[in-house]
Amino acid sequence: MRLIVSAQVLRNAINSAPSATLYRDGSKLAGCYIRISDSFGRDRSIGYSGNDSAQDNSYNEMLSVEADRHTLYLKPMMGNWSGSPLKLTHEGAAEQLWQLFVEHLT
């Protein structure tokens, strides 16, 4: 069994929108599309779609940068449903997005 991750990064002067696709033995298992978004009244949130060819207005998660008196953190918009903490470090945000990417693999 071969497991291959294909990543494509599309860049322009305004934003960056990487996508990744996971293949096993030539069959697509999972995909994702991540971009900087201004949707839902949030300034420059990180948008995640569990589909490598998703539309710009399609999200499974959005992370916004927030601050309290002591620290900067990432706040998931969908965190209330996923049970994740509402204040994520950059490592915690990466773990959450990775979990979303691989959650349907068996």
Side-chain angles (χ1 to χ4, degrees), residues 50-99:
N51 181 342
D52 56 350
S53 59
Q55 299 296 316
D56 283 342
N57 63 353
S58 170
Y59 302 97
N60 295 99
E61 183 60 273
M62 285 191 73
L63 302 168
S64 62
V65 177
E66 305 283 337
D68 60 23
R69 290 180 50 166
H70 306 287
T71 184
L72 288 173
Y73 57 90
L74 292 157
K75 181 178 180 181
M77 279 187 60
M78 317 299 184
N80 294 335
W81 294 280
S82 68
S84 67
L86 293 180
K87 292 184 177 181
L88 298 172
T89 63
H90 61 282
E91 291 98 348
E95 288 175 16
Q96 180 171 344
L97 296 181
W98 178 254
Q99 184 60 39

Side-chain angles (χ1 to χ4, degrees), residues 40-55:
F40 302 113
R42 296 276 190 181
D43 290 333
R44 310 292 289 177
S45 296
I46 300 169
Y48 172 91
S49 294
N51 181 342
D52 56 350
S53 59
Q55 299 296 316

Side-chain angles (χ1 to χ4, degrees), residues 5-10 17-21 31-34 51-54 101:
V5 175
S6 169
Q8 179 181 21
V9 178
L10 306 172
S19 65
T21 309
C32 73
Y33 170 48
I34 301 170
N51 181 342
D52 56 350
S53 59
F101 182 64

